[in-house]
């Protein structure tokens, strides 16, 4: 799928996973459109990708929280990309979100409304064309709401359900949808946390797994397979027991 | 988090920060009264460890410019040598100097002023750096080269990250026709014969010897000397039909666990050395760059064979006139201890004139020991032999040397300290090593 001709849109390209995805797809020969807020700071990354892999790179300004701007942003790209990857997300602070509706609202919009609505608009364009790949980076936190991060988790649960429905809707219409649940990743989002090494992936590992899964037309990806097992067990715990646990 | 060098000794608790670009580097410098930059953690000891803050430069790894005509390459400091080779060897370019692993960063190679198998002809890595951008303790960023800020340029090449944080550097790549090395392997029965072979190989671009450090008596210093040249297209045999710049990718192996302390003892090491020496095939061969320059890189995390306690790498260099006597004394002491390592390496170096750069004209010996109580005692004895013969230790390998020994070996230490004090009077940049050795 990622031949010389594919164009890959990465929304959230300034994130650690976004940067790794750009490297991974550029290495495979794709041309890239990197989208982010204050996109000018990605100029050195664009130059790096050109010098490393001789690929073409376009920068596109995009404030995902500006929902009304989504269509205009996609119009500026012209022909829809072959592959659209959405890597945006905001972990936020659970305790702040519990006390402050504005903080919770920002987490909810950043992880659900904004990415879901953008991918919805992308999907419509891909559906008209009859081809495309959509990749949404969701989270294992959306598999079950937990006290430590349920505001973030609930938004990711919504995003996961949205991607599932989108996949269902577009099945047989030439557009594939991949839901990615990375588990712990060693990024800016988790800096300073004590994460268990066996459960924690490097950004480049996420990027390689995403490209492999996308090329094979997979539906749901847990980057490290152990996470599929962990989350299965967590989902199976009876609520009466689960509500007393601190995990 | 817990952090260590490649030798897994010492292992300390530190706050590990990350720099994705120069803005984040400058913010980290401003926010910490004591810190040290770290590359890929391949310095063996405590050179890239600071208890308050250790700043990983790995995310600052962008290629900034490349001139296809001249081979001049500018990159951010965190780029790995393996990336540089993967990207540019297929286009016909190689680095002018490479250390024995490609899992090091550009900034790390400059800070440790690394050398390679071509030191006798090409000098150290730092000799080839055209310019670098250095972030100082006060937040300024200075371009340093032989013309701009030359004193700071000299002190930074080999300066172990103590003058500032290297943000980016420009180096010239050298053109190569193939990704292969034309190699000759020559056995030598003892140390004097090995040294004769090195002298006879001065005209070769690359030379290095594996030395059996457990052989004693008449066989003391028996070696296999490898010498090599970049293969030309016409050197490739007719049966090789692939792209000469794309050798076939080999599989890497990974050491999955820390070996138990039992695994390495004088019998297993002696058996390994005996087999290695006997299996060697003297003669000519055409081998790929990876196998010639980075044989250990094919075994990822090979440091784990030394177990959780870690190991100490010992690398010294002795001036040439004192080399035969000094190396004989060192090898006798090591053979008597029975603590020799799998891979001991001997090499003839050329002249070098850095402030804290390791090389000097003479022979260098590198070997490793499990980090147990006996090893520390043995290495203190080796230190005395090295010092008596006018030699010095390599800071990139060191985890346990003394300040007095360091001062004896590096006569330009005070020049270095004066330059460092000029740009960082408060000593913001410091490592466990710089504190231990009073650099």
């Amino acid at each position: 799928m990622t031949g010389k001709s594919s164009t890959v849109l990465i929304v959230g390209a300034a994130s650690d996973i976004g940067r790794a995805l750009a490297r991974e797809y550029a290495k495979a020969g794709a041309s890239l459109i990197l989208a982010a807020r204050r996109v000018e700071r990605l100029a050195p990354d664009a130059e790096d990708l050109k010098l490393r892999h001789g690929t073409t790179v376009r920068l596109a300004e995009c404030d995902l929280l500006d929902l009304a701007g989504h269509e205009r942003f996609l119009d500026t790209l012209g022909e829809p990309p072959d592959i659209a990857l959405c890597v945006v997300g905001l972990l936020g602070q659970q305790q702040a979100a519990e006390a402050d509706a504005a903080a919770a609202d920002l987490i909810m919009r950043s992880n659900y409304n904004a990415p879901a609505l953008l991918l919805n608009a992308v999907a419509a364009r891909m559906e008209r064309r009859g081809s495309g790949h959509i990749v949404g980076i969701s989270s294992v936190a959306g598999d079950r709401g937990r006290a430590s991060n349920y505001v973030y988790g609930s938004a990711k649960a919504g995003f996961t359900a949205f991607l599932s429905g989108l996949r269902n809707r577009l099945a047989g219409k030439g557009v594939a949808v991949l839901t990615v649940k990375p588990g712990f990743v060693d990024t800016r989002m988790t800096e300073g946390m004590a994460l268990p090494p066996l459960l924690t992936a490097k950004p480049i590992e996420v990027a390689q797994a995403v490209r492999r899964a996308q090329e094979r037309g997979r539906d749901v990806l847990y980057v490290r397979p152990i996470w599929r097992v962990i989350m299965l067990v967590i989902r199976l715990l009876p609520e009466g027991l689960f509500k007393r646990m601190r995990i | 988090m817990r952090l260590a060098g490649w030798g897994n000794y010492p292992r300390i608790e530190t706050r590990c920060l990350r720099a994705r670009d120069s803005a984040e580097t400058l913010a980290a410098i401003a926010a910490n009264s004591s810190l040290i930059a770290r590359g890929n953690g391949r310095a063996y000891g405590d050179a890239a460890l600071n208890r308050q803050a250790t700043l990983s430069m790995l995310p600052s790894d962008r290629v900034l410019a490349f001139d296809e005509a001249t081979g001049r390459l500018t990159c951010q400091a965190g780029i790995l040598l393996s990336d540089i080779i993967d990207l540019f060897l297929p286009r016909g370019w190689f680095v002018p100097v490479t250390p024995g692993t490609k899992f090091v960063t550009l900034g790390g190679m400059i800070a440790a002023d690394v050398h390679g198998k071509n030191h006798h002809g090409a000098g150290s890595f730092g000799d080839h750096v055209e310019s670098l951008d250095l972030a100082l303790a006060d937040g300024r960023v200075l371009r340093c080269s032989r013309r701009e800020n030359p004193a700071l340029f000299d002190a930074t090449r080999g300066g172990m990250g103590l003058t500032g944080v290297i943000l980016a550097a420009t180096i010239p790549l050298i053109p190569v026709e193939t990704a292969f090395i034309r190699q000759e392997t020559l056995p030598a029965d003892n140390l004097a014969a090995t040294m004769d072979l090195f002298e006879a190989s001065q005209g070769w671009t690359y030379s290095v010897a594996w030395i059996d450090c457990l052989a004693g008596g008449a066989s003391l210093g028996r070696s296999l000397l490898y010498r090599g040249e970049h293969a030309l297209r016409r050197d490739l045999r007719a049966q090789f039909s692939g792209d000469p710049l794309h050798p076939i990718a080999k599989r890497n192996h990974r050491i999955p666990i820390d070996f138990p302390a039992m695994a390495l003892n004088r019998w297993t090491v002696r058996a390994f050395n005996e087999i290695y020496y006997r299996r060697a095939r003297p003669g000519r061969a055409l081998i790929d760059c990876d196998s010639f320059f980075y044989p250990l890189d094919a075994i990822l995390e090979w440091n784990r064979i030394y177990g959780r306690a870690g190991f100490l790498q010992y690398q010294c260099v002795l001036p040439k006139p004192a080399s035969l006597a000094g190396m004989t004394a060192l090898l006798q002491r090591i053979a008597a201890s029975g603590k020799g390592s799998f891979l001991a390496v001997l090499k003839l170096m050329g002249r070098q004139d850095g402030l804290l750069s390791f090389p000097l004209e003479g022979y260098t010996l590198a070997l490793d020991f499990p980090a147990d109580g006996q090893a520390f005692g043995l290495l203190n004895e080796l230190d005395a032999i090295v010092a008596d013969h006018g030699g010095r230790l390599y800071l990139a390998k060191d985890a346990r040397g003394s300040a007095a020994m360091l001062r004896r070996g590096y006569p330009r230490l005070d020049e270095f300290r004066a330059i460092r004090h000029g740009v960082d009077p408060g000593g913001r940049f410091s490592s466990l090593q710089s504190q231990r050795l009073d650099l």
Side-chain angles (χ1 to χ4, degrees):
Chain A
M1 184 63 213
T2 40
K4 281 273 177 229
S5 56
S6 333
T7 54
V8 176
L9 168 67
I10 301 174
V11 183
S15 67
D16 291 317
I17 293 177
R19 275 186 70 195
L21 282 166
R23 286 258 174 98
E24 178 64 19
Y25 276 94
K27 195 174 169 184
S31 26
L32 300 174
I33 306 167
L34 306 183
R37 263 179 310 165
R38 296 193 292 119
V39 76
E40 70 284 352
R41 72 203 148 117
L42 289 182
D45 290 284
E47 192 60 26
D48 171 66
L49 292 164
K50 288 178 203 166
L51 289 165
R52 280 176 181 253
H53 302 297
T55 187
T56 58
V57 184
R58 266 175 72 190
L59 298 181
E61 183 86 22
C62 173
D63 179 1
L64 213 61
L65 289 172
D66 174 19
L67 303 181
H70 287 180
E71 291 292 344
R72 194 169 58 245
F73 163 68
L74 293 175
D75 286 343
T76 63
L77 304 183
E79 174 72 9
D82 299 302
I83 302 163
L85 303 128
C86 185
V87 202
V88 294
L90 172 69
L91 184 57
Q93 302 244 322
Q94 170 66 22
Q95 281 169 353
E98 287 167 19
D100 175 4
D105 178 53
L106 182 64
I107 293 173
M108 290 171 174
R109 282 188 292 128
S110 302
N111 293 299
Y112 178 56
N113 300 40
L117 291 171
L118 179 82
L119 290 183
N120 199 45
V122 172
R125 291 165 192 242
M126 287 183 174
E127 187 180 9
R128 278 201 292 280
R129 185 179 59 194
S131 70
H133 284 257
I134 287 174
V135 179
I137 307 290
S138 191
S139 172
V140 296
D143 284 7
R144 191 161 192 178
R146 291 176 295 128
S148 58
N149 65 358
Y150 67 85
V151 176
Y152 172 79
S154 66
K156 286 295 193 183
F159 189 45
T160 298
F162 182 91
L163 291 168
S164 163
L166 195 64
R167 176 164 48 243
N168 190 198
R169 175 188 134 200
L170 296 172
K173 296 187 175 167
V175 183
V177 178
L178 170 64
T179 308
V180 181
K181 300 178 183 181
F184 295 144
V185 189
D186 189 11
T187 63
R188 189 184 279 126
M189 192 187 257
T190 58
E191 200 159 333
M193 296 183 188
L195 300 177
L198 278 176
L199 301 181
T200 307
K202 297 279 177 204
I204 190 65
E205 184 184 341
V206 176
Q208 287 164 352
V210 165
R211 186 168 71 86
R212 213 164 35 236
Q214 175 263 314
E215 286 179 350
R216 292 176 186 173
R218 296 260 311 273
D219 300 320
V220 178
L221 169 68
Y222 287 84
V223 172
R224 291 208 170 178
I226 181 80
W227 277 104
R228 190 181 286 278
V229 180
I230 292 171
M231 295 321 294
L232 178 68
V233 170
I234 289 178
R235 277 201 307 272
L236 288 175
L237 290 170
E239 192 67 20
L241 175 66
F242 182 76
K243 73 179 179 190
R244 293 176 208 287
M245 294 173 68
R246 287 289 168 266
I247 53 174
Chain B
M1 64 182 289
R2 303 280 285 171
L3 205 59
W6 186 242
N8 282 322
Y9 173 88
R11 181 174 286 278
I12 63 149
E13 194 64 38
T14 174
R15 217 156 41 88
C16 190
L17 311 171
R18 263 174 289 193
R20 290 167 190 81
D21 50 35
S22 38
E24 289 193 5
T25 303
L26 293 171
I29 293 172
N32 291 282
S33 60
S34 177
L35 79 161
I36 193 74
R38 178 180 172 97
N40 202 32
R42 291 295 167 126
Y44 287 73
D46 50 1
L49 296 175
N50 177 306
R51 286 189 197 279
Q52 186 180 329
T54 303
L55 180 63
S56 171
M57 299 302 289
L58 286 174
S60 292
D61 66 344
R62 296 169 186 87
V63 180
L64 299 174
F66 181 65
D67 185 334
E68 298 275 357
T70 63
R72 182 177 289 118
L73 173 69
T74 305
C75 298
Q76 289 180 333
I79 193 170
L80 290 176
L81 175 58
S82 57
D83 269 17
I84 294 176
I85 292 170
D86 289 349
L87 294 170
F88 294 102
L89 185 54
R91 303 184 210 177
W93 300 97
F94 197 66
V95 282
V97 166
T98 174
T101 170
K102 58 180 175 174
F103 299 124
V104 289
T105 61
L106 175 61
M109 288 194 288
I110 297 170
D113 197 12
V114 298
H115 56 267
K117 297 172 176 47
N118 59 352
H119 184 270
H120 57 283
S124 67
F125 189 85
D127 290 335
H128 298 268
V129 175
E130 291 185 0
S131 69
L132 56 88
D133 290 341
L134 189 69
L136 302 184
D138 60 11
R140 283 180 299 158
V141 175
L142 291 187
R143 171 72 45 95
C144 304
S145 68
R146 282 175 188 80
R147 282 180 302 280
E148 294 171 86
N149 304 299
L152 199 49
F153 187 57
D154 288 345
T156 300
R157 293 176 296 152
M160 303 308 284
L162 300 171
T163 56
V165 179
I166 300 168
L167 298 174
T170 298
I171 57 168
L173 299 184
I174 58 166
V176 292
E177 290 189 17
T178 75
F180 291 85
I181 297 292
R182 187 160 56 78
Q183 175 184 273
E184 280 190 17
T185 306
L186 305 157
D189 294 337
N190 56 46
L191 186 60
T194 306
M195 290 180 168
D196 288 343
L197 275 182
F198 268 114
E199 290 296 343
S201 306
Q202 287 271 22
W204 285 71
T205 303
Y206 300 105
S207 64
V208 69
W210 166 83
I211 184 164
D212 180 354
C213 56
L214 287 181
S219 298
L220 186 88
R222 71 174 177 179
S223 302
L224 294 168
L225 184 133
Y226 301 94
R227 55 193 192 186
E229 295 289 340
H230 287 285
L232 306 176
R233 276 169 192 274
R234 59 178 156 80
D235 294 328
L236 298 190
R237 283 180 224 120
Q239 64 260 37
F240 181 80
S241 56
D243 181 340
L245 289 166
H246 281 90
I248 306 109
K250 285 199 306 288
R251 273 186 60 150
N252 288 329
H253 301 273
R254 185 179 291 274
I255 302 288
I257 53 160
D258 294 326
F259 277 25
M262 298 277 299
L264 291 192
N265 55 53
R266 71 167 70 199
W267 294 282
T268 56
V269 174
R270 193 182 294 278
F272 172 87
N273 278 275
E274 194 65 38
I275 292 165
Y276 191 91
Y277 189 76
R278 289 181 186 281
R279 265 196 54 197
R281 301 240 167 78
R284 296 173 183 194
L286 202 61
I287 66 171
D288 60 284
C289 277
D290 272 5
S291 304
F292 184 76
F293 292 112
Y294 318 113
L296 280 179
D297 283 352
I299 311 166
L300 302 174
E301 298 178 27
W302 63 264
N303 53 344
R304 299 181 76 169
I305 67 170
Y306 285 98
R308 296 177 70 90
F311 68 104
L312 301 167
Q313 165 103 181
Y314 193 81
Q315 184 167 3
C316 62
V317 59
L318 304 180
K320 206 193 253 183
S323 282
L324 183 57
M327 288 294 168
T328 301
L330 288 170
L331 289 170
Q332 280 171 344
R333 186 64 198 86
I334 294 161
S337 77
K339 305 284 291 177
S341 61
F342 287 115
L343 287 171
V345 170
L346 188 74
K347 153 116 199 99
L348 175 59
M349 300 185 123
R351 274 208 292 277
Q352 185 78 41
D353 57 356
L355 300 179
L356 281 190
S357 295
F358 167 68
L360 53 78
E361 188 170 19
Y363 282 89
T364 176
L365 176 70
L367 62 170
D368 31 57
F369 301 91
D372 56 26
Q374 291 169 313
F376 284 89
L378 173 64
L379 297 192
N380 286 338
E381 291 180 45
L382 300 186
D383 279 356
I385 298 172
V386 170
D388 286 346
H389 289 85
R392 57 169 65 146
L393 300 184
Y394 190 6
L395 290 173
K397 306 290 180 77
D398 165 65
R400 35 65 56 194
S402 71
M405 164 87 186
L406 188 278
R407 178 165 282 282
R408 276 182 74 180
Y410 287 87
R412 300 184 71 185
L413 175 62
D414 284 329
E415 271 179 80
F416 172 80
R417 293 180 57 163
I419 298 168
R420 181 187 172 205
H421 188 76
V423 288
D424 185 13
R428 190 179 291 259
F429 300 111
S430 88
S431 61
L432 288 190
Q433 180 178 62
S434 75
Q435 293 155 18
R436 174 169 52 80
L437 295 177
D438 195 20
L439 295 177

